[in-house]
Amino acid sequence: MTARPRREEKRRFRRAAGVNVLGNAAKIVAEGAAGLAFGSVALLADAAHSVADLVASGVVFVWGGARYDDADAEHPHGHQRIEPLTALFVGAVVALLGLNLLWSSIEGIRFGTDVRFSRLLLVALAFALVDMYVLYWYTMRVNAELGSTALSALAVDCLNDIYTTVAAVIGVFGVFFDLPILDPIAGGVVSLLVVYQGVEIGRENVTYLVGAAPPPGDRDRITESLREHPEVVGVHDLRVFYDGTDLEVEVHVEVDGEMTLRRAHDIETELVTRLRGLEDVGDVHVHLDPSGVGEWKDADDAGADGAGDGGSE
């Protein structure tokens, strides 16, 4: 990717993250003011959830765009791991706040609340629903082309906000029908959804950070791309793992051992270029072996990575 498209993608990324900051701030003001004025635990819980969203979107805005920066002396493999690191922070903040909200809801159920019904509570909730839906739609639209895990985490959190706000609406209607216990119960439902979403966001991004293996389908498309080259006789010792959100590939490829060194060099370059052209593939390391040697058969993991005719996968 050339420098100009990367700058354009970074600009769009930061704009989307900035819109999330503003959208969450607006929701906090609307719900927080109404919740404080009328004592609604459900609204305060939903507003507090958005405080975590505000912090998370702020972190993504400041640091998440680093994935579009070029490699440098301090980061020779690029900055791909910064984005899942920021997304992991989003998940951790959301989960911790959810636990705090759960405790507050339990306290409300045990000792009761002083919530008072007002149409302004419904107005604040209606604003929050529209705000989060528009924010979700916009973030998903931008991320359809960017494919950012950090923006994806923010979008999922916006969708989660819609569900939690619906739970808060149920709590407010409980107050209207003289069932105030529904307010802290709704707050408890909100908090459980928040904790679950935070854990899921964290789990996904830990996978990117620890260099875990991708789904089998990614290995299959890489192997297929290598096999399509007319000079490739076999493929073995394939390693595919996450480097941030990118896939790093290490592989041994068998070719005719009688070809010239120059031709072998050209084939290696063609294979590296071919793999780097695949979606989500970053660094590629190809080692060429002369066909017929059979060294792959002696590998400890030959049964997993080197089985097949001619060492092919």
Side-chain angles (χ1 to χ4, degrees), residues 59-258:
V59 169
V60 172
F61 177 78
V62 174
W63 288 304
R67 68 166 294 196
Y68 299 104
D69 295 338
D70 294 328
D72 52 38
E74 295 181 352
H75 304 87
H77 288 275
H79 302 75
Q80 296 94 328
R81 299 198 181 197
I82 294 178
E83 183 184 10
L85 183 61
T86 58
L88 178 62
F89 177 82
V90 173
V93 170
V94 169
L96 289 174
L97 184 62
L99 292 173
N100 183 60
L101 297 179
L102 180 60
W103 176 256
S104 298
S105 299
I106 292 173
E107 292 288 291
I109 293 171
R110 291 177 60 193
F111 303 112
T113 63
D114 296 325
V115 60
R116 304 183 309 279
F117 178 79
S118 170
R119 289 186 177 86
L120 291 178
L121 293 175
L122 295 178
V123 171
L125 288 170
F127 173 82
L129 284 171
V130 173
D131 182 34
M132 286 298 104
Y133 177 77
V134 171
L135 199 57
Y136 168 77
W137 173 83
Y138 169 74
T139 306
M140 288 296 292
R141 182 179 179 183
V142 173
N143 203 39
E145 296 183 10
L146 296 182
S148 162
T149 59
L151 287 183
S152 178
L154 293 183
V156 169
D157 204 28
C158 290
L159 188 61
N160 184 52
D161 275 357
I162 295 174
Y163 301 145
T164 59
T165 301
V166 170
V169 171
I170 295 173
V172 170
F173 273 109
V175 176
F176 176 75
F177 290 108
D178 200 26
L179 293 171
I181 191 65
L182 287 181
D183 188 73
I185 290 176
V189 172
V190 169
S191 63
L192 289 174
L193 290 172
V194 170
V195 171
Y196 172 78
Q197 196 61 62
V199 170
E200 284 298 295
I201 292 173
R203 181 189 59 79
E204 176 186 359
N205 286 280
V206 165
T207 298
Y208 297 135
L209 290 170
V210 300
D218 288 316
R219 290 175 55 89
D220 293 342
R221 65 189 176 95
I222 288 169
T223 303
E224 182 180 355
S225 179
L226 291 169
R227 287 176 179 273
E228 289 175 351
H229 194 288
E231 301 280 2
V232 171
V233 177
V235 177
H236 63 93
D237 290 342
L238 174 64
R239 301 285 187 273
V240 185
F241 54 92
Y242 284 112
D243 178 19
T245 56
D246 288 346
L247 295 174
E248 185 158 337
V249 179
E250 298 176 356
V251 64
H252 286 225
V253 175
E254 294 182 37
V255 296
D256 181 3
E258 301 301 321

